[in-house]
Amino acid sequence: MNKQTDTFLLDSGAAARIVADIGADIATDTPPQVGISRPHESAHLHVAGTATYTDDIPELAGTLHAALGTSARPHARIRAIGLDKVRAAPGVVAVLTADDIPAVNDCGPILHDDPILARETVQFVGQPLFLVVASSHDAARRAARLAEVDYEDLPPVLTPEAAHAAGSYVLPPMHLSRGEPHRHLETAAHRDSGQIRLGGQEQFYLEGQIAYAAPKENDGMHVWCSTQHPSEMQHVVSHMLGWQAHQVVVECRRMGGGFGGKESQSALFACCAALAAWKLMCPVKLRPDRDDDMMITGKRHDFVFGYDVGHDDEGRVEAVAVEMVSRAGFSADLSGPVMTRAICHFDNAYWLPNVQIDGYCGKTNTQSNTAFRGFGGPQGAFAMEYILDNIARTVGRDALDVRRANLYGKGERNVTPYGQTVEDNVIHELLDELEASSAYRARRAATRAFNAASPVLKKGIAITPVKFGISFNVAHFNQAGALVHVYNDGSVLVNHGGTEMGQGLNTKVAMVVAHELGIRLERIRVTATDTSKVANTSATAASTGTDLNGKAAQDAARQIRERLAQFAARQAGVDAATVRFGDDLVVAGELRLSFADLARQAYMARVQLWSDGFYTTPKLYWDQSKLQGRPFYYFAYGAACSEVLVDTLTGEWRLLQADVLHDAGRSLNPAIDIGQVEGAFIQGMGWLTTEELWWNDKGRLMTHAPSTYKIPTINDCPEAFHVRLFDNPNVEDSIHRSKAVGEPPLLLPFSVFFAIRDAVASLGDYRTNPPLRAPATSEAILDAVDAVRAAVAAGATAVPAA
Ligand code: MTE
Ligand code: HPA
Ligand code: MOS
């Protein structure tokens, strides 16, 4: 797909440059093990179908299978649940309800408003009410449909607007302001206000939610779970059972994708499997099918924004006020930190001198929305990009020029609304490079010329920048631990607190350890994440997996290397500081040993060959009540240029070309990072174009399978897809000066949405702002086309926003 990838494999010249740069770290002059493209550690297993996911673990004798019975109503009191037919169904062993939970019926990550099984009331269509345990997966699912539930309907709240109108929120509202926004709104040369609608998104991990629990001796429980957060699963399972944390072990070798959907919402499945295993004293597996997974679990929050902006003739923002209302769903889950991140990304890459942001997490009778790649950041930044896109047409300037006029400065105009100074700004240089390499100006002129001669098919083009803050916005999550074992044959086993979901975390951590010990990557094996190995881990989230766990593993490996260096130095009668590790060799004075021989000799001399490691991110502080501080260690930057062709009769469109330049710092593994950028780009494009969540007026999600919910496929990837990494060592002391890459590139396909909007705007000679909503489905595009045509017919120069 990406014809450019191989040009990023480092040639020997580039490798030598990296040696020169990081030589000080490694005390060796042999080639580095980081900064080079290496395949994903499990790539050969993925393609052969032999990678073990949770459902592939050989089943223990006596394993039973569970299925969830769910609510058919969005909001109701439960008068009675008739379970006789369920119990009598073939293969059924037990039916469990909330009454069977021995301790706490809650699996919420922050507040305690998330029942595992609903008891007196149900709050959304799809909410779990009971658990059927049967001899087979099929028998459990068939039986779960036979319940007779007597509902007393209560009035539901089905949209964020309705929740906001009713003042119904899952958390208190959040407010952030700087300067005098309202005074400057009054005095600005131009003022515009309107509403922006932005849809949610289903994570659509290829491997669905799953948990498999087995009781162990002396009141113990082992849970294999597809989760980004094993320690949280340990915590909720032990709470539910009224146990201590040390009684529960949670293990995850890998996920077939998480995308945020398994940060908190794996909890329901872990708890239900463990409840049944505890009750029946046998292994129990719970694997919902795709439709049930989509009906039960939360998604990316959809948002409605109301804005009021004042700007000058050049399009520079003088003041902006924005009201953000998210669809939290029926419970808080992670909606608070998601809203915080939305607020802290409204600025995107722009200096906003006077600003007011008000965030409301609307409580609705729908699935409880949760983390999804970007975690509110994409939603907040999208609103600002939409506002700037409007301003450009209002003042009649090129949208890129208006964006540039508003960028954060260097040394001035560089403090974010939340009080963090932007110290690592590279967006000017990055945009210069992309504007030139994509030939933006010439192609923009060409789209104008094409459109003048083409009445139905219209082209559009747009460049959008990204600035994304890296660190958990809850300070104490920014810690990690690792355990590194060197066996006496010189092979190495690494365990750390992060989870592998396809993003290449284990590969990067293995590369860091190989580099530290000066050994070949093949000597290193990374094992399953396991709460009995590294304790109190954070979720693998906020893109921080490598930043945190890479540093922790480096710390562990350094301690082992130091002990080995001391040992080798004693043998050779030299100073330990002169011992060199590299190329699988250790050189100390005249002594020259293979790493394996040194490990064996050190073992015989009773040197400790394993170590733990720990890391906490420096410089962070955050006052959540004031929304002020330094929530982010650093920022990652990027920009993309997209060109589309839109059929204004059918609303169909194609992405013709995308040019992407993304800042992964000094990339640890360019091949994996480019893969992350490509994947995030296409995933974000799906969010903003074809993926539409639609609930009917009874609160039932009708788009709960791939037949009705359209994610992108290979056919939607542009033929010309040029993804490059921007060479930019992190100014902060991150792991080998790399930058987190998991989430920031999800914002790059804003350029696709605004290119579509540019194409539609051509129908009004670029003078009216098309009221295009997101996702820009064909239907939404046709609505915008009609609105622009109507505005032109009415002689208007501007139409209201979406
Ligand atoms: N890439 C793959 N292949 N699968 C995933 O589930 N999740 C994304 C991103 N890239 C994801 C992915 C999300 S939401 C995050 S937060 C990061 O990976 C987490 O991993 P990292 O911190 O190790 O980058
Ligand atoms: N990202 C992902 N998960 C989180 C965050 C975040 O910023 N904060 C708390 N949980
Ligand atoms: Mo990613 S949304 O932080 O799991």
Side-chain angles (χ1 to χ4, degrees):
M1 177 164 75
N2 172 42
K3 299 170 194 91
Q4 305 268 323
T5 307
D6 52 357
T7 61
F8 291 96
L9 300 174
L10 292 183
D11 53 50
S12 52
R17 244 184 1 262
I18 286 189
V19 174
D21 290 349
I22 57 185
D25 268 13
I26 62 168
T28 178
D29 50 8
T30 53
Q33 295 280 5
V34 293
I36 47 180
S37 289
R38 292 299 203 103
H40 190 285
E41 127 276 338
S42 291
H44 59 300
L45 307 178
H46 295 157
V47 296
T50 54
T52 305
Y53 296 86
T54 299
D55 205 27
D56 302 318
I57 296 169
E59 283 171 12
L60 298 162
T63 293
L64 296 176
H65 300 266
L68 289 160
T70 60
S71 168
R73 302 295 170 84
H75 194 199
R77 224 183 305 282
I78 303 294
R79 286 204 200 95
I81 314 185
L83 294 170
D84 293 348
K85 287 186 186 157
V86 184
R87 290 204 169 88
V92 171
V93 176
V95 183
L96 307 178
T97 67
D99 294 335
D100 294 295
I101 293 172
V104 185
N105 181 15
D106 177 74
C107 60
I110 301 173
L111 298 188
H112 299 298
D113 58 351
D114 246 313
I116 299 165
L117 295 171
R119 211 162 168 277
E120 277 146 15
T121 52
V122 285
Q123 298 186 80
F124 71 99
V125 177
Q127 181 164 21
L129 272 166
F130 63 91
L131 187 69
V132 189
V133 190
S135 53
S136 76
H137 181 72
D138 192 50
R141 288 189 57 215
R142 283 175 195 282
R145 298 195 190 127
L146 303 176
E148 290 161 329
V149 184
D150 184 7
Y151 300 99
E152 178 189 333
D153 287 318
L154 299 168
V157 176
L158 295 179
T159 62
E161 293 97 318
H164 192 35
S168 166
Y169 309 116
V170 293
L171 293 161
M174 299 179 199
H175 306 285
L176 172 57
S177 72
R178 167 166 73 189
E180 296 178 294
H182 297 287
R183 190 167 72 79
H184 286 91
L185 283 170
E186 299 290 342
T187 58
H190 303 268
R191 187 168 179 178
D192 176 36
S193 62
Q195 218 186 50
I196 303 164
R197 279 161 190 290
L198 177 58
Q201 186 180 22
E202 161 63 34
Q203 288 85 2
F204 224 105
Y205 23 64
L206 289 185
E207 176 212 30
Q209 303 275 1
I210 180 168
Y212 182 31
K216 296 286 162 179
E217 65 164 31
N218 195 18
D219 292 336
M221 187 68 69
H222 195 108
V223 185
W224 293 270
C225 183
S226 184
T227 179
Q228 292 172 242
H229 203 346
S231 286
E232 175 74 7
M233 301 308 104
Q234 176 191 27
H235 177 81
V236 292
V237 168
S238 60
H239 251 65
M240 173 194 69
L241 294 175
W243 286 4
Q244 300 185 77
H246 67 200
Q247 291 172 270
V248 179
V249 174
V250 178
E251 185 182 336
C252 178
R253 171 59 186 90
R254 61 170 65 77
M255 285 160 274
F259 304 111
K262 296 170 182 171
E263 179 171 342
S264 63
Q265 302 223 351
S266 44
L268 176 81
F269 306 94
C271 286
C272 286
L275 174 67
W278 169 79
K279 192 90 187 173
L280 303 172
M281 285 313 279
C282 69
V284 176
K285 188 190 279 188
L286 174 57
R287 174 173 61 79
D289 82 331
R290 177 69 56 183
D291 295 72
D292 285 346
D293 189 319
M294 285 183 77
M295 289 299 284
I296 293 168
T297 62
K299 299 141 206 329
R300 183 189 295 286
H301 295 70
D302 46 318
F303 273 68
V304 184
F305 301 95
Y307 69 89
D308 193 352
V309 65
H311 59 91
D312 66 13
D313 293 335
E314 304 290 300
R316 259 185 297 264
V317 173
E318 287 169 2
V320 59
V322 67
E323 186 183 84
M324 308 184 168
V325 184
S326 71
R327 178 199 295 268
F330 82 96
S331 71
D333 187 83
L334 299 169
S335 295
V338 166
M339 181 57 81
T340 302
R341 193 171 273 275
I343 290 171
C344 293
H345 282 75
F346 176 64
D347 60 336
N348 193 18
Y350 309 109
W351 158 246
L352 305 174
N354 298 284
V355 56
Q356 167 87 38
I357 310 173
D358 302 294
Y360 302 88
C361 302
K363 180 176 158 96
T364 52
N365 291 104
T366 49
Q367 294 82 354
S368 187
N369 282 334
T370 190
F372 191 147
R373 208 170 193 170
F375 202 76
Q379 291 97 314
F382 182 82
M384 191 64 227
E385 291 296 344
Y386 206 104
I387 292 167
L388 289 177
D389 202 62
N390 284 348
I391 291 175
R393 274 180 219 98
T394 305
V395 298
R397 292 186 74 195
D398 175 77
L400 178 59
D401 293 333
V402 168
R403 289 187 161 97
R404 279 182 178 277
N406 283 287
L407 291 175
Y408 276 114
K410 294 193 176 186
E412 48 153 16
R413 293 160 39 98
N414 64 347
V415 180
T416 63
Y418 47 92
Q420 174 161 357
T421 303
V422 182
E423 293 166 342
D424 55 9
N425 189 350
V426 292
I427 197 64
H428 300 264
E429 303 89 302
L430 196 150
L431 277 172
D432 288 346
E433 199 176 316
L434 181 71
E435 184 182 326
S437 69
S438 66
Y440 169 75
R441 302 278 164 187
R443 286 169 56 209
R444 182 172 184 273
T447 63
R448 274 24 180 190
F450 174 92
N451 290 343
S454 172
V456 172
L457 298 180
K458 298 288 185 182
K459 286 188 176 178
I461 190 166
I463 286 188
T464 53
V466 176
K467 165 181 136 289
F468 195 92
I470 302 300
S471 294
F472 282 98
N473 59 19
V474 176
H476 75 269
F477 289 169
N478 296 289
Q479 59 173 302
L483 201 52
V484 174
H485 292 339
V486 175
Y487 292 99
N488 62 23
D489 67 347
S491 68
V492 179
L493 197 73
V494 177
N495 193 274
H496 58 81
T499 55
E500 177 63 45
M501 57 195 99
Q503 84 278 39
L505 171 61
N506 284 354
T507 313
K508 289 181 173 179
V509 172
M511 290 168 77
V512 167
V513 172
H515 184 76
E516 234 29 74
L517 297 177
I519 57 178
R520 282 179 297 119
L521 197 54
E522 295 68 35
R523 281 195 180 276
I524 299 183
R525 194 174 171 102
V526 184
T527 57
T529 316
D530 181 328
T531 56
S532 67
K533 290 193 174 153
V534 175
N536 310 321
T537 57
S538 295
T540 306
S543 305
T544 60
T546 303
D547 286 25
L548 298 175
N549 298 286
K551 277 278 192 186
Q554 182 184 51
D555 177 40
R558 278 192 176 162
Q559 294 181 48
I560 299 168
R561 191 188 64 191
E562 183 54 31
R563 285 186 214 124
L564 286 171
Q566 295 283 354
F567 171 71
R570 278 199 302 278
Q571 308 301 302
V574 297
D575 184 55
T578 67
V579 177
R580 295 280 179 272
F581 291 76
D583 252 355
D584 259 0
L585 291 173
V586 182
V587 181
E590 298 296 298
L591 192 71
R592 196 179 158 85
L593 280 174
S594 72
F595 184 80
D597 285 342
L598 179 69
R600 196 167 303 113
Q601 290 184 21
Y603 163 74
M604 294 305 292
R606 295 185 287 176
V607 174
Q608 184 186 344
L609 286 179
W610 57 271
S611 178
D612 62 337
F614 187 66
Y615 176 73
T616 61
T617 314
K619 300 188 180 179
L620 303 177
Y621 59 96
W622 180 242
D623 183 340
Q624 178 66 30
S625 65
K626 297 197 177 72
L627 298 176
Q628 290 291 311
R630 178 180 179 154
F632 306 123
Y633 188 32
Y634 61 87
F635 296 97
Y637 299 86
C641 176
S642 295
E643 182 180 343
V644 300
L645 180 65
V646 177
D647 182 332
T648 57
L649 277 183
T650 64
E652 291 167 291
W653 63 279
R654 278 208 72 79
L655 176 57
L656 299 175
Q657 179 169 337
D659 293 77
V660 171
L661 190 57
H662 191 80
D663 162 29
R666 181 180 282 140
S667 172
L668 281 171
N669 183 328
I672 283 185
D673 287 352
I674 286 172
Q676 284 289 293
V677 175
E678 290 176 342
F681 185 96
I682 298 298
Q683 189 169 42
M685 181 180 88
W687 167 44
L688 294 172
T689 56
T690 62
E691 296 181 40
E692 187 170 36
L693 294 166
W694 191 78
W695 289 266
N696 70 11
D697 61 3
K698 304 276 188 305
R700 178 179 289 273
L701 177 66
M702 301 303 284
T703 52
H704 53 77
S707 52
T708 45
Y709 185 81
K710 174 74 179 84
I711 62 169
T713 67
I714 190 71
N715 292 318
D716 301 301
C717 297
E719 208 152 292
F721 195 12
H722 306 139
V723 176
R724 292 168 190 275
L725 299 181
F726 183 71
D727 185 33
N728 178 40
N730 199 333
V731 300
E732 298 296 346
D733 179 24
S734 60
I735 184 75
H736 292 296
R737 304 274 168 185
S738 65
K739 288 192 181 184
V741 72
E743 296 168 289
L746 190 117
L747 289 73
L748 295 167
F750 288 4
S751 55
V752 175
F753 180 89
F754 292 109
I756 294 173
R757 199 166 182 234
D758 183 54
V760 176
S762 70
L763 298 169
D765 201 21
Y766 303 100
R767 281 200 297 264
T768 64
N769 279 315
L772 183 64
R773 61 184 180 267
T777 57
S778 295
E779 192 180 2
I781 291 171
L782 288 182
D783 286 346
V785 164
D786 287 349
V788 172
R789 289 221 164 99
V792 169
T797 54
V799 294

